Amino acid sequence: SKVRIYTLAKDLSVDNQKLLEILDSLGVSYKSVSSTLDEDTVDAIKGILAEESAATPSAPTDSQAASQTPAESTAAPQLQSAPPTPHHKDDVTAPTSNSVPSTAAQAASGQVSSAVAVQEAPPVQAPEIPHRAPVVTIMGHVDHGKTSLLDYIRKTKVAAKEAGGITQHVGAFEAQTSKGRIVFIDTPGHEAFTTIRARGANVADIAIIVVAADDSIMPQTREAIAHAQAAKVPLIVAINKIDLPQADVERVKTDLTSVNLVPEEYGGDTVVVPVSAKTGEGVEDLLEYISLTAELEDLRADPKGEFSGVVIESKVDKQSGVLATVMVQQGTVNVGDFLVVGETYGKIKALMDSAGNRIKSAGPSTPVQVLGFSEAPVSGDKVASASNEHTAREKVSVRVDTRRTVEEARQKRKLSLEEMMGPLNEVREVNLILRADTQGSVEAIQGILAKRETPEVHLNVMLAGIGAPTEGDVLLASTAEATILCFSVVPSGAVKKVADQKEVDLKSFRIIYELIDEVDRLIKGNIEPVF
Ligand code: GDP
C-alpha cells in the first residue's frame, strides 16, 4: 500500500523537509509532500532513520536499532489515514519545517524521534532566518465562489475585532489556523492577478484555484492557472460547491487532467481539495494543505532585515486621507518611519493591522494599513522605508535617476538578437498568448505554430482562448513577457490601454498568414522590439 510523504513524516515524527532530504539522497523523485511512496521506499527511509539514530551518541545502540525498525509498530495503523486532519490542536505557532515533534508523537515513536531531533540541530549555529507565514491568493472563474470562500475563512478564522463594528475590506486578512497564521489576499477581480506577481516579484506564495463542482473548468479558470504557472507559485485546486446536488467532483478532476493538472488520485501531483464555502466542509483540509505546501516552500524572511513591502490596495478616505494596505515582505515597519513608494515618500502617522487594530510595528507576511502617504500609491508598487526624511529623499532621487536612465537606454538601444532572446546557444522561448474567434481557429493556429518551432526556438503558448483578449491576458503577458496574438477578435479600448501602459505587445490579425508571418518574425528575432 502507498503512503503520502506528509503522513509518513507525521507517523515517524520527523518533519517533511527531513523526509524530502532523505528522498533526495535516495534519488526518489517526488512532486510535493502529498506525493505517495511505495513500501520499498518507506522501508528504505526507515532504515536510514534507524542508521542515523544509531550514529547519534544519544541514540540507542546498534543492536537496538537493528532489532527494531523505528516507529514501525506505532506507525503502521496510521498509514492509511488519508485526508489530513489537524492533529495538533494545541499547536498555534506558525508552520515551521524544523518543528520539534509534538510530545505525543515523540512518546509514541520513542527513541527515534528524539534522536532525529538531535540530528537536526546544525553543528555550527549560524543565525537562522525565521520562517514566515504564507501569503495566499484565491483565483478562479467568476461565480465559482472565491468571495464566499474568503468570507467563510474570514468569518471562522479571523479573531473578531474587540470594539465591535464591521471589519473593513482592506485587500488582505490574516487567518489563525491550527497550523499557524495564513495571510489571504483579498483583492477584487483582475487585481488578484496583479498582486500575485507585482513588478517582477511574487506577492503570493501559493495560489488557490477555485473551481465550482457544478460548472467545472471555465475560461477564467484557465486564465488563473496560467497566471499561477507564469508566476511559478505552487497551486492548490479547491473544488467548491460540493454541497450542491448537481456537484460532480469527478468530472472536475477529469477536466483538470485535460489542462495538465493531474490530481494525485489519478497519479499526478496536483493537490485537489473538495470544499463547500457554504457549509464549510473541507475548508479545514484546504487550510492544512496550504500549511503543508508552505512548509515545503520553506518560506523565510528576516524581521531585522531591510524593510521591503508591496502595495496591495489603496484608497482615499474622506476623514483620514490616503489609506494604503502594504504587505510587509521583509524587515519591520514602524510608526514614524518614512516610506518610499513610487517616486514619493511619506511619514507613517499610524499603522493598523488588517482587522483595523492600531499597532506600532509589523514584521514579514503582515498586511498593514498605512496612514501617512500624501497621494494614493498604485497597487503592486514596491515600498521601501527610511528612518529619516533625508534618507527618504535620497531614495526617491535614486528611483527617479534609475527610471530616467532606463528610459533613455530604451530609447537609444536597438536590442541585438542576443539581448532580446538570450544567448544563441540556448533554446530560446517565445511566450505567446493566443486569442481567436472560435475553438476551430484556436486549434488550427496551434497546429500551425507547432510546426513552425525550430530546435533553437520553442514556442510556448501560455494561454489559448476564444474571444477578445482580457485585461488578465495583458497582465499575464506582462509577467511572462509574452506577445498576445489575436485572430479575428478585436481587443477593447480598455484592454489596449492596459497593454500600452504595461508595454505589452498586442497584435491583431484577420488573415492567418499574416499571423504566421508575425510568429516567424518572432522566431527569427528580427522584429523591432517593442517595450
Ligand atoms: P466569485 O465570483 O468567485 O467571488 O463567487 P461568489 O463567492 O460571489 O459566489 C457566487 C455564487 O455562488 C453566490 O451566489 C454564492 O452564494 C454561491 N456559492 C459560493 N460558494 C458556494 C458553495 O460552496 N455552495 C453553494 N451552494 N453555493 C455557493
Side-chain angles (χ1 to χ4, degrees):
S1 69
K2 293 205 162 204
V3 57
R4 286 174 201 269
I5 295 175
Y6 65 78
T7 314
L8 184 67
K10 223 177 239 177
D11 292 342
L12 297 178
S13 298
V14 299
D15 65 55
N16 291 320
Q17 203 60 40
K18 173 77 186 170
L19 272 200
L20 297 181
E21 279 164 22
I22 296 178
L23 287 170
D24 287 340
S25 73
L26 290 170
V28 176
S29 62
Y30 54 84
K31 286 294 169 90
S32 73
V33 279
S34 17
S35 301
T36 54
L37 304 172
D38 58 27
E39 271 173 68
D40 288 346
T41 310
V42 171
D43 286 345
I45 290 169
K46 285 177 181 170
I48 288 175
L49 285 172
E51 266 173 40
E52 281 190 1
S53 64
T56 312
S58 63
T61 62
D62 276 2
S63 60
Q64 274 175 299
S67 65
Q68 195 199 357
T69 317
E72 202 164 48
S73 52
T74 51
Q78 289 178 37
L79 290 183
Q80 264 79 29
S81 66
T85 45
H87 285 187
H88 313 295
K89 290 233 161 54
D90 52 340
D91 180 5
V92 289
T93 53
T96 58
S97 70
N98 288 338
S99 63
V100 176
S102 80
T103 340
Q106 212 160 8
S109 55
Q111 345 106 326
V112 179
S113 60
S114 55
V116 169
V118 170
Q119 272 278 306
E120 270 174 7
V124 186
Q125 196 74 51
E128 265 213 336
I129 297 173
H131 284 95
R132 61 173 181 83
V135 178
V136 178
T137 188
I138 299 191
M139 307 193 289
H141 196 72
V142 65
D143 281 346
H144 280 197
K146 299 176 291 290
T147 315
S148 306
L149 192 54
L150 282 165
D151 283 348
Y152 183 87
I153 297 169
R154 191 178 4 236
K155 247 185 275 160
T156 51
K157 301 290 169 189
V158 175
K161 201 183 156 187
E162 277 160 35
I166 314 144
T167 311
Q168 293 248 332
H169 173 102
V170 298
F173 65 87
E174 298 172 72
Q176 297 296 339
T177 78
S178 58
K179 288 289 155 92
R181 200 162 62 91
I182 300 175
V183 182
F184 286 90
I185 294 182
D186 183 9
T187 46
H190 282 315
E191 276 178 42
F193 294 151
T194 325
T195 50
I196 192 172
R197 191 174 168 83
R199 305 275 182 274
N202 284 352
V203 181
D205 304 300
I206 297 166
I208 308 294
I209 310 288
V210 175
V211 187
D214 60 337
D215 208 19
S216 199
I217 294 178
M218 293 309 234
Q220 286 158 35
T221 319
R222 291 173 204 269
E223 211 176 27
I225 293 167
H227 272 273
Q229 288 172 338
K232 298 196 167 63
V233 294
L235 61 81
I236 296 174
V237 177
I239 303 182
N240 189 33
K241 309 198 187 185
I242 55 167
D243 59 286
L244 291 175
Q246 66 271 34
D248 191 346
V249 173
E250 286 312 308
R251 181 183 153 216
V252 179
K253 286 183 185 171
T254 311
D255 290 351
L256 282 168
T257 309
S258 70
V259 292
N260 288 324
L261 294 179
V262 183
E264 290 174 335
E265 301 88 309
Y266 294 5
D269 49 49
T270 302
V271 178
V272 176
V273 193
V275 299
S276 165
K278 192 175 173 187
T279 67
E281 193 183 345
V283 175
E284 281 296 336
D285 287 349
L286 179 64
L287 297 174
E288 176 126 352
Y289 273 110
I290 293 171
S291 296
L292 282 166
T293 309
E295 197 181 315
L296 187 69
E297 295 290 302
D298 199 29
L299 308 167
R300 294 167 189 267
D302 191 354
K304 295 197 187 84
E306 191 181 350
F307 167 81
S308 71
V310 173
V311 177
I312 299 289
E313 216 174 84
S314 73
K315 61 182 168 215
V316 183
D317 186 279
K318 278 202 190 92
Q319 269 145 32
S320 35
V322 175
L323 201 55
T325 306
V326 171
M327 182 72 71
V328 181
Q329 296 192 294
Q330 193 188 288
T332 300
V333 65
N334 310 288
V335 173
D337 285 354
F338 286 85
L339 288 190
V340 178
V341 64
E343 290 176 5
T344 61
Y345 68 89
K347 187 177 181 171
I348 303 179
K349 289 189 215 135
L351 284 177
M352 279 157 289
D353 65 15
S354 52
N357 304 303
R358 285 212 170 218
I359 50 173
K360 288 206 172 80
S361 62
S365 292
T366 314
V368 277
Q369 293 176 260
V370 177
L371 205 63
F373 288 112
S374 50
E375 47 191 278
V378 178
S379 62
D381 266 357
K382 291 221 164 216
V383 189
S385 81
S387 50
N388 58 56
E389 190 156 7
H390 177 71
T391 328
R393 254 196 223 128
E394 271 180 356
K395 286 196 178 184
V396 168
S397 77
V398 168
R399 287 183 170 200
V400 173
D401 288 350
T402 314
R403 175 179 51 77
R404 289 200 183 129
T405 317
V406 169
E407 278 172 3
E408 280 166 22
R410 274 180 183 171
Q411 275 170 4
K412 275 189 214 150
R413 193 168 53 167
K414 258 195 171 181
L415 284 186
S416 69
L417 176 67
E418 194 160 320
E419 276 176 302
M420 196 170 81
M421 301 290 231
L424 285 172
N425 50 2
E426 275 176 27
V427 177
R428 286 174 267 143
E429 279 225 332
V430 175
N431 288 337
L432 298 174
I433 292 171
L434 206 61
R435 283 281 177 181
D437 52 344
T438 62
Q439 185 61 31
S441 310
V442 170
E443 281 166 18
I445 295 169
Q446 278 181 306
I448 297 170
L449 291 183
K451 290 192 197 124
R452 314 299 287 189
E453 279 190 334
T454 69
E456 297 84 33
V457 183
H458 175 67
L459 292 178
N460 180 23
V461 180
M462 315 191 70
L463 189 66
I466 304 163
T470 65
E471 220 175 298
D473 293 356
V474 176
L475 297 174
L476 175 61
S478 133
T479 301
E481 291 177 29
T483 301
I484 305 177
L485 301 176
C486 305
F487 177 72
S488 284
V489 288
V490 182
S492 70
V495 166
K496 274 190 195 152
K497 202 172 138 200
V498 183
D500 253 18
Q501 281 166 358
K502 303 258 170 199
E503 292 160 344
V504 164
D505 218 354
L506 171 67
K507 310 216 151 161
S508 309
F509 304 90
R510 296 223 144 260
I511 299 165
I512 198 119
Y513 297 107
E514 288 178 357
L515 187 149
I516 294 163
D517 280 351
E518 175 68 23
V519 171
D520 284 344
R521 273 201 295 276
L522 282 170
I523 290 176
K524 289 203 197 91
N526 58 5
I527 184 174
E528 185 69 34
V530 179
F531 286 99

